[in-house]
Amino acid sequence: QVQLVESGGGLVQAGGSLRLSCVASGSIFSGNTMAWYRQAPGKQRELVATISQGGSTNYADSVKGRFTISRHNAENTVFLQMNSLKTEDTAVYYCNLNQAGRPGVRYDYWGQGTQVTVSS
């Protein structure tokens, strides 16, 4: 099993910055991908950014140029630096780890979520 614990959410004014952190523990295997998702009230959960163990990144169009995902492999930690925050970034942010289990099968693990609220 894998446990993910997020931290760093909070209330910030529009234009401000926040940095989210997520620490993974448990049975973590090489070749995993870590990611941040978010879910706003009344909306579906959406992908924000992903990062492979090799450092390849991918971002949602809505956050490109404002958010930066990074990771520290030795500490199984992923970060999300969020700059120029907008009110529409308000959501619960979830950390995700995706890794192979049985041959041909990959598993998703989720954190409990951290609230980010951006005020106007």
Side-chain angles (χ1 to χ4, degrees), residues 37-52:
Y37 287 73
R38 68 185 180 186
Q39 187 167 18
K43 295 187 177 182
Q44 289 189 330
R45 190 173 297 189
E46 63 175 0
L47 177 67
V48 176
T50 66
I51 184 166
S52 69

Side-chain angles (χ1 to χ4, degrees), residues 84-97:
S84 302
L85 282 160
K86 304 176 181 180
T87 56
E88 52 263 44
D89 294 318
T90 295
V92 178
Y93 283 70
Y94 295 91
C95 179
N96 168 272
L97 185 145

Side-chain angles (χ1 to χ4, degrees), residues 10-23:
L11 173 64
V12 64
Q13 285 192 325
S17 298
L18 280 175
R19 187 179 192 235
L20 305 183
S21 301
C22 171
V23 179

Side-chain angles (χ1 to χ4, degrees), residues 31-109:
N32 65 73
T33 297
M34 298 190 78
W36 289 95
Y37 287 73
R38 68 185 180 186
Q39 187 167 18
K43 295 187 177 182
Q44 289 189 330
R45 190 173 297 189
E46 63 175 0
L47 177 67
V48 176
T50 66
I51 184 166
S52 69
Q53 201 161 28
S56 297
T57 59
N58 184 51
Y59 295 92
D61 288 342
S62 59
V63 307
K64 282 181 182 177
R66 301 189 297 122
F67 291 10
T68 302
I69 189 170
S70 59
R71 64 187 290 171
H72 193 298
N73 288 331
E75 297 182 354
N76 293 318
T77 304
V78 65
F79 306 96
L80 186 68
Q81 178 66 43
M82 305 185 293
N83 298 328
S84 302
L85 282 160
K86 304 176 181 180
T87 56
E88 52 263 44
D89 294 318
T90 295
V92 178
Y93 283 70
Y94 295 91
C95 179
N96 168 272
L97 185 145
N98 178 276
Q99 66 180 11
R102 293 179 287 115
V105 178
R106 295 188 70 86
Y107 295 96
D108 280 302
Y109 300 93

